[in-house]
Amino acid sequence: MEIVKNRFLKGVTVVLSALLVISLMGCGQKTDAKTTEAKTVSENVKRMPDEMTKVNLGLPSNKNMSYLPFYVALKKGNFQKHNLNVNLSVVQGGVLALRGLQSGDFQIISSLPESVITGASEGANVKLIGTLDIQSMYSIYVAKDIHDPKELKGKVAASMVPGNGTDIQLQYWLKKHGLEPNKDIRIINAGDNAERLQTLQQGQSAVTILSPPTDLKADE
């Protein structure tokens, strides 16, 4: 569920090129300088983009491969081509992104569907308009000394903001393996992917959920 925009550089390039041409013509044909300049300016006005529409896009993470298309689109100026001035903002989790959408801080957000569905069920006036992934990009990682999900009982699970899609997926996995969240295993809010991996590496948690590219680092 995403969209975006940005552009002006091309218009600036056109204007600068036009100014260079006018300058060169003025050196040899002073008589036609005013006529040529007026014509060139007129052409440039027609080429200038329409008024830019500002769009604030909220992302629940800046370290998720799913959001790469947004950064590529900004780099290539794809949003600008459609007269969109897109501003990317990163918040901690889809829950906060959804709140920003409801308060008007964002016109569009990207979030896991779980948190959006939960928000909509609680009365949030939002719509899903697209997807970046056709399946979950998340994987479950456990400490090296864990060989069976049952061994996680009494330990700590590193999650994100409660109610966030990441948190919902982790809790679903725990329940699927017979572990009741915050009863059989304590759930902590450890932050983004990198922070969650760190808790696992430092022994502060025994299980967590990670998405690309952090999962590759965990594999190492």
Side-chain angles (χ1 to χ4, degrees):
M1 54 217 133
E2 299 79 20
I3 310 178
V4 246
K5 326 171 182 177
N6 220 333
R7 177 185 188 176
F8 180 64
L9 183 58
K10 184 175 180 181
V12 174
T13 304
V14 171
V15 173
L16 292 178
S17 299
L19 290 175
L20 178 60
V21 172
I22 292 172
S23 177
L24 292 174
M25 292 180 65
C27 294
Q29 299 181 15
K30 295 183 179 180
T31 305
D32 299 327
K34 292 184 178 180
T35 302
T36 304
E37 182 178 0
K39 181 179 179 181
T40 305
V41 171
S42 177
E43 291 177 350
N44 286 334
V45 170
K46 294 179 181 179
R47 294 176 186 174
M48 289 292 288
D50 296 332
E51 183 178 353
M52 303 293 282
T53 299
K54 185 176 181 179
V55 177
N56 292 322
L57 170 62
L59 300 178
S61 173
N62 63 348
K63 299 177 182 178
N64 191 316
M65 291 297 290
S66 297
Y67 304 138
L68 184 60
F70 291 128
Y71 293 96
V72 172
L74 282 173
K75 184 71 174 179
K76 289 183 170 291
N78 292 345
F79 298 131
Q80 295 94 319
K81 293 177 182 179
H82 297 282
N83 302 327
L84 297 174
N85 179 17
V86 176
N87 177 50
L88 299 183
S89 298
V90 178
V91 296
Q92 191 181 57
V95 172
L96 294 182
L98 189 61
R99 289 175 184 171
L101 185 65
Q102 289 287 276
S103 65
D105 293 334
F106 304 124
Q107 284 72 55
I108 188 168
I109 66 169
S110 172
S111 176
L112 292 176
E114 292 86 351
S115 55
V116 177
I117 292 172
T118 300
S121 69
E122 295 175 351
N125 184 22
V126 296
K127 290 183 179 180
L128 294 173
I129 62 173
T131 181
L132 293 170
D133 309 307
I134 60 173
Q135 63 183 32
S136 175
M137 300 291 286
Y138 287 81
S139 300
I140 299 295
Y141 284 82
V142 300
K144 292 182 179 180
D145 60 340
I146 300 297
H147 304 287
D148 188 288
K150 295 179 181 179
E151 298 175 6
L152 292 170
K153 190 170 184 178
K155 299 188 181 296
V156 174
S159 185
M160 205 172 182
V161 179
N164 173 262
T166 305
D167 181 62
I168 292 174
Q169 289 191 43
L170 175 60
Q171 292 201 33
Y172 170 80
W173 185 88
L174 293 171
K175 290 178 181 179
K176 185 177 179 181
H177 289 85
L179 297 166
E180 187 63 30
N182 292 317
K183 181 179 180 181
D184 298 322
I185 184 169
R186 186 163 64 96
I187 308 290
I188 63 170
N189 177 8
D192 212 339
N193 277 283
E195 288 74 23
R196 295 199 300 274
L197 175 57
Q198 189 175 39
T199 65
L200 196 64
Q201 293 173 323
Q202 296 178 350
Q204 298 171 345
S205 68
V207 58
T208 191
I209 182 170
L210 303 172
S211 63
T214 310
D215 59 345
L216 299 178
K217 186 175 182 181
D219 289 338
E220 293 177 358

